[in-house]
Amino acid sequence: MAKPCYFALFDLQPGFRLDLNELSARYRELARQTHPDRFADASEHDQRVALERAAQLNDAYQTLKSASQRARYLLTLRGHELPLETTVQDPAFLMQQMELREELQDLQESADLSGVAAFKKRLKQAQDRLNDGFADCWEDPARREEAERLVRRMQFLDKLSSEVRQLEERLDD
Amino acid sequence: MALLQIAEPGQSPKPHQRRLAVGIDLGTTNSLVATVRSGLAEPLADADGEVILPSAVRYCPDRIEVGRQAKSAAASDPLNTILSVKRLMGRGIADIKLLGEQLPYRFVEGESHMPFIDTVQGPKSPVGVSADILRVLRRRAEEALGGELVGAVITVPAYFDDAQRQATKDAARLAGLSVLRLLNEPTAAAVAYGLDQSAEGVVAVYDLGGGTFDISILRLTRGVFEVLATGGDSALGGDDFDHTIASWMVEQAGLSTDLDPGEQRHLLQLACAAKESLTDSDTVSLSYGDWQGSLTRDAFESLVEPLIARTLKACRRAVRDAELDVEDVEAVVMVGGSTRVPRVRQAVGELFGRVPMTDIDPDQVVAIGAAIQADTLAGNKRAGDELLLLDVNPLSLGLETMGGLMEKVIPRNTTIPVARAQDFTTYKDGQTAMMVHVLQGERELVKDCRSLARFELRGIPPMVAGAAKIRVTFQVDADGLLNVSARELGSGVEASIQVKPSYGLTDGEIARMLQDSFAHAGDDKEARVLREQQVDAQRLLEAVQGALDADGERLLSAEERTAIEAQMQQLREVMEGQDGAAIEQQIQRLSQITDAFAARRMNATVKAALSGRRLDEIEE
């Protein structure tokens, strides 16, 4: 089964700047129609189709809801798929990442909760900056390389924020 | 959020057109059945006017008793009276033998590793015992509604894993019920509270029942109930409060811990009664045998404080998983009999900074919500008026990869239904089969996760390592049940499985698994690095051995060969150990010493290829 374009599924133009409230409103509307609960009475075949459609809708929603996944998906629509794992030629950024991780390590050792809160705030600002940068350049084919670099950076920061969450978990004892 | 009781005047079709459907709360301690009549959801009572059916089953030589009568026989006939059977659902004999110390039953092993309880009526499985409870509720509903049911919505703790859900569904089938949906208990409670379609906002549902604890964070938007995150502990509930008090009594009375089943039951009943009276009184007198004493509410609260603290921790985690702050939660709903304990209400109120809602009877709220959903699923609502419940999977699902690592395919708190595929490849040259081991849990190592199923994909065409592309697809349906299939993309060879429980771990182990997953995230990472190095080492050893077998004779001197073999032996030894750095170092040594050999093999291959081509050209 060919996958329809995620944006088209929600009747949206492909774009990075999305009104997330609008996206969730449309998601809920579509889910009303496709959710397997609507087919509790249907034939086994129709139930299976409903299950697949609902799963696809959920997948599309998850992808578009997250800034980094949305950015990646846009680049896929625009050209070749971005390899998931690749050697990152971005030494300055990597250096900064290492420093941030060390900082996180220190926060863990000192069990500094207000430090973690401040760290999260900075992380959020860094993510916002990346998002702004990507919004500026992704549509320009000449700046494709820059856009790809920003997507990789976004993924790094996503991973970092999940590490922050794990740290909060460990400190919550 | 507005809090109106469930009333939809004028919206229900004429009575004779209605399709009879019920919601059933199959609880650890109590069970209920409810339905929607004249637009109103209400629990159905038995002939004596009681809506609550204690989840107790007694097997007598000539009959089966279910409910109050059975419960009252628990101390006098402990071996034939089964209480809290829900705690055994989806569990294997090995798990329950560990639990068995506290449980006054005789377990026997049945087929397929299912634990059976030996009674005067022969061995009974937990699924069968649950079915006996469901059968009574089904009969009650059919008598009250005057017809056959089209189906039922059965509630399960949100934190139930795949095996526990399957077992529940099996029990319903055994009782002759058609299952319209398995519904998570906190979601059902949210439905009962928020049915009024104007209810909007973020709600936390705190559900502390007899044997399980759930916390769910939901967003309500015009009839859509979207679960943002869920968490909990499938082995924590009011029963544990009772056990804590009972142990305290044993200690105070200086009793031996080696009590017979009847004595154990009796003590637990006293403990439960004491807990209940401490809801309204500040102190309660206790006596057991010659011992007399009293328990104050303060003392009780400090006994159960660690249990309450565990629930609060799960609450904070669920809020984080929902990517919210505690302040974003606009209402807190209390569900389950154990939320009657004043200290529980107080602690939850403090955490969320608001008074929890207890307007609907905490014992009935889940059944009421299930009845409303059953009514929707049976098609008794007008189009557009239906509720929509968007639930999530409570635990991550994944696969075992090389080195005993768990690769997550669907992370916890993903909206269901969901389908995700992940591609894997072969590890060895010529590999024609692959074992797919399906896991559930949050930890990184396979041994710390719950094993759900194993199956094999056979008939992969032989290729060099890494060339085959095997796509494994996980599909979770709206009941939260998992289906896994695997397919080799080049050849189209296929295998699939409806995951059936392989009953691997105890409740305690699952709980520990989850709690440990965060405490040990650091250890896990080290363990993961070590495993990866061990895998790398193994891969290198196999590659070198393969090269030696093929060309060692031709391209190496005896001396060179001995040197390589010595380094290989060295690597085999260090990779057995725990020192990741040593393994890494030895991998480098072996790579270095085989570099020249690899270069010679490459040259030989190129030469052979060139000579081959010349031959072709001559022939042309």
Side-chain angles (χ1 to χ4, degrees):
Chain A
M1 191 169 61
K3 278 193 181 180
C5 165
Y6 288 165
F7 288 97
L9 197 61
F10 291 97
D11 202 14
L12 293 166
Q13 286 302 316
F16 182 68
R17 291 285 181 214
L18 264 195
D19 181 345
L20 290 180
N21 289 327
E22 167 112 30
L23 178 71
S24 359
R26 291 194 183 183
Y27 165 68
R28 283 191 292 269
E29 229 18 78
L30 289 168
R32 265 189 195 283
Q33 296 157 22
T34 55
H35 196 275
D37 280 0
R38 293 289 96 86
F39 300 86
D41 239 5
S43 69
E44 208 169 299
H45 172 262
D46 288 355
Q47 287 193 0
R48 206 169 45 242
V49 171
L51 177 64
E52 279 168 14
R53 283 179 60 199
Q56 194 174 62
L57 176 70
N58 283 334
D59 214 26
Y61 180 51
Q62 293 305 326
T63 305
L64 297 192
K65 211 166 58 166
S66 136
S68 68
Q69 287 184 50
R70 184 166 70 241
R72 196 186 163 81
Y73 183 67
L74 279 169
L75 292 187
T76 310
L77 285 182
R78 279 283 161 127
H80 56 95
E81 202 160 326
L82 217 57
L84 255 179
E85 281 174 28
T86 178
T87 321
V88 180
Q89 304 287 355
D90 199 349
F93 181 73
L94 288 180
M95 188 56 84
Q96 190 198 351
Q97 283 299 300
M98 276 167 65
E99 282 165 12
L100 286 171
R101 283 200 157 68
E102 274 169 28
E103 207 176 310
L104 208 56
Q105 190 71 36
D106 292 344
L107 288 171
Q108 170 165 357
E109 275 153 27
S110 57
D112 177 1
L113 282 173
S114 62
V116 173
F119 188 91
K120 272 168 75 177
K121 211 167 175 183
R122 271 165 52 213
L123 185 57
K124 175 80 180 52
Q125 286 163 354
Q127 285 174 319
D128 288 345
R129 277 195 302 276
L130 287 181
N131 292 346
D132 290 343
F134 184 83
D136 283 347
C137 74
W138 75 274
E139 280 174 296
D140 185 351
R143 296 170 73 185
R144 166 91 190 186
E145 207 171 304
E146 184 184 350
E148 283 186 12
R149 188 167 63 237
L150 289 172
V151 169
R152 288 199 192 94
R153 289 183 174 190
M154 286 179 194
Q155 287 170 341
F156 265 105
L157 293 192
D158 278 359
K159 224 172 150 198
L160 192 60
S161 65
S162 81
E163 279 171 34
V164 174
R165 208 185 294 167
Q166 285 187 13
L167 172 63
E168 284 181 297
E169 207 68 53
R170 284 197 293 276
L171 294 180
D172 186 12
D173 271 320
Chain B
M1 117 191 198
L3 258 188
L4 296 181
Q5 264 287 11
I6 304 98
E8 309 151 273
Q11 291 188 359
S12 46
K14 292 194 184 80
H16 67 270
Q17 294 172 328
R18 286 191 82 81
R19 294 155 54 81
L20 305 178
V22 295
I24 293 179
D25 175 2
L26 181 61
T28 307
T29 320
N30 295 312
S31 297
L32 291 92
V33 57
T35 195
V36 175
R37 279 195 288 196
S38 332
L40 212 72
E42 55 180 11
L44 299 171
D46 65 8
D48 301 331
E50 298 281 346
V51 297
I52 284 179
L53 178 73
S55 304
V57 182
R58 181 186 180 199
Y59 294 96
C60 307
D62 56 341
R63 65 183 193 286
I64 300 173
E65 291 173 358
V66 178
R68 279 184 304 285
Q69 205 183 350
K71 190 179 176 185
S72 61
S76 60
D77 188 14
L79 295 177
N80 296 306
T81 308
I82 320 298
L83 301 183
S84 298
V85 70
K86 190 173 179 177
R87 302 193 91 159
L88 309 178
M89 293 288 271
R91 296 287 168 253
I93 188 83
D95 318 331
I96 288 171
K97 275 199 173 132
L98 286 170
L99 269 176
E101 306 292 317
Q102 318 161 15
L103 294 170
Y105 309 126
R106 285 183 309 236
F107 286 105
V108 289
E109 189 155 2
E111 304 148 39
S112 72
H113 305 291
M114 284 263 285
F116 283 71
I117 300 161
D118 201 19
T119 71
V120 289
Q121 286 199 15
K124 298 284 175 184
S125 76
V127 169
V129 176
S130 299
D132 285 332
I133 298 169
L134 288 170
R135 217 171 271 126
V136 169
L137 294 172
R138 179 184 141 213
R139 251 183 267 128
R140 182 193 288 186
E142 285 177 347
E143 275 164 29
L145 301 175
E148 217 169 284
L149 304 177
V150 299
V153 168
I154 318 261
T155 60
V156 289
Y159 224 50
F160 253 21
D161 66 24
D162 195 79
Q164 293 167 306
R165 283 168 199 269
Q166 280 288 359
T168 306
K169 209 169 177 177
D170 291 347
R173 280 201 208 102
L174 212 56
L177 284 164
S178 156
V179 180
L180 295 170
R181 181 71 71 237
L182 294 179
L183 177 61
N184 289 331
E185 288 162 10
T187 311
V191 169
Y193 266 96
L195 183 80
D196 167 21
Q197 300 245 332
S198 67
E200 305 254 323
V202 176
V203 179
V205 181
Y206 180 100
D207 181 357
L208 189 59
T212 57
F213 168 66
D214 280 330
I215 172 75
S216 286
I217 312 290
L218 297 99
R219 172 169 283 129
L220 273 58
T221 323
R222 269 166 302 170
V224 180
F225 294 71
E226 190 182 355
V227 179
L228 302 175
T230 197
D233 193 327
S234 64
L236 174 61
D239 281 6
D240 298 291
F241 287 35
D242 300 347
H243 279 283
T244 309
I245 297 176
S247 312
W248 176 83
M249 284 169 69
V250 166
E251 200 179 293
Q252 294 290 309
L255 299 172
S256 110
T257 48
D258 186 26
L259 298 169
D260 73 42
E263 288 170 324
Q264 278 183 46
R265 221 13 116 198
H266 183 46
L267 259 177
L268 287 172
Q269 283 172 347
L270 290 174
C272 183
K275 172 185 76 179
E276 286 173 9
S277 31
L278 286 172
T279 294
D280 295 314
S281 333
D282 291 334
T283 179
V284 57
S285 320
L286 289 161
S287 68
Y288 183 81
D290 298 334
W291 174 79
Q292 290 207 321
S294 70
L295 180 62
T296 64
R297 191 192 281 171
D298 281 351
F300 165 63
E301 286 176 355
S302 28
L303 284 175
V304 297
E305 197 60 40
L307 299 173
I308 296 175
R310 270 163 66 190
T311 69
L312 298 182
K313 194 178 168 194
C315 290
R316 287 190 292 267
R317 180 167 90 152
V319 171
R320 273 193 296 268
D321 279 356
E323 297 184 8
L324 294 172
D325 293 314
V326 171
E327 300 78 51
D328 298 325
V329 176
E330 291 157 86
V332 182
V333 168
M334 297 298 255
V335 185
S338 306
T339 60
R340 289 208 173 83
V341 173
R343 176 64 197 143
V344 170
R345 290 189 181 182
Q346 188 195 357
V348 174
E350 281 164 11
L351 174 67
F352 289 101
R354 56 186 68 244
V355 179
M357 297 196 284
T358 51
D359 308 47
I360 307 182
D361 183 330
D363 285 324
Q364 300 187 2
V365 60
V366 166
I368 287 173
I372 295 165
Q373 170 72 344
D375 194 46
T376 295
L377 290 176
N380 290 331
K381 294 266 192 173
R382 282 197 320 220
D385 274 344
E386 307 103 330
L387 303 169
L388 181 62
L389 312 186
L390 301 169
D391 230 307
V392 299
N393 66 324
L395 296 154
S396 300
L397 294 161
L399 285 175
E400 172 167 355
T401 60
M402 282 305 303
L405 299 175
M406 148 81 152
E407 174 80 19
K408 285 177 188 164
V409 178
I410 301 178
R412 72 166 189 265
N413 290 322
T414 302
T415 305
I416 55 172
V418 59
R420 290 272 162 86
Q422 193 128 329
D423 292 345
F424 293 87
T425 190
T426 44
Y427 168 69
K428 280 185 181 174
D429 287 345
Q431 187 177 339
T432 57
M434 189 169 115
M435 176 63 90
V436 178
H437 186 192
V438 184
L439 302 158
Q440 187 159 31
E442 309 307 320
R443 299 286 299 275
E444 298 210 340
L445 297 183
V446 168
K447 63 180 175 62
D448 301 322
C449 292
R450 183 177 176 84
S451 166
L452 290 180
R454 288 169 197 268
F455 68 99
E456 214 169 277
L457 178 67
R458 289 211 185 98
I460 303 170
M463 286 177 246
V464 291
K469 196 171 179 192
I470 292 129
R471 179 159 295 170
V472 181
T473 306
F474 278 50
Q475 189 181 59
V476 180
D477 68 16
D479 289 329
L481 295 172
L482 173 67
N483 203 309
V484 180
S485 62
R487 184 159 191 260
E488 200 287 304
L489 295 181
S491 59
V493 173
E494 204 158 341
S496 76
I497 190 169
Q498 166 90 49
V499 171
K500 271 285 175 187
S502 53
Y503 298 127
L505 296 166
T506 62
D507 271 345
E509 276 170 327
I510 294 209
R512 205 165 52 237
M513 232 161 62
L514 284 150
Q515 280 144 9
D516 283 359
S517 106
F518 291 94
H520 292 227
D523 297 357
D524 273 358
K525 201 173 257 171
E526 276 167 39
R528 187 170 193 123
V529 169
L530 178 65
R531 289 295 175 112
E532 280 168 356
Q533 273 154 352
Q534 286 167 336
V535 171
D536 284 348
Q538 186 59 38
R539 193 171 285 161
L540 179 63
L541 282 171
E542 284 178 15
V544 174
Q545 189 60 53
L548 283 179
D549 293 346
D551 297 314
E553 201 87 350
R554 197 155 57 91
L555 300 175
L556 291 175
S557 70
E559 209 174 311
E560 284 168 330
R561 186 170 180 141
T562 314
I564 290 174
E565 281 171 344
Q567 293 299 332
M568 286 173 78
Q569 188 50 37
Q570 191 86 34
L571 181 58
R572 277 191 206 101
E573 279 162 24
V574 291
M575 72 181 269
E576 297 298 318
Q578 302 294 311
D579 185 350
I583 299 175
E584 197 180 354
Q585 210 175 21
Q586 188 56 32
I587 286 176
Q588 278 181 4
R589 274 199 210 116
L590 179 59
S591 312
Q592 271 166 14
I593 198 166
T594 53
D595 269 351
F597 178 35
R600 263 179 248 169
R601 290 189 75 213
M602 184 65 77
N603 287 339
T605 313
V606 171
K607 261 184 219 154
L610 290 177
S611 57
R613 192 161 79 204
R614 236 176 277 137
L615 195 65
D616 287 343
E617 283 161 359
I618 293 164
E619 274 175 0
E620 270 175 19

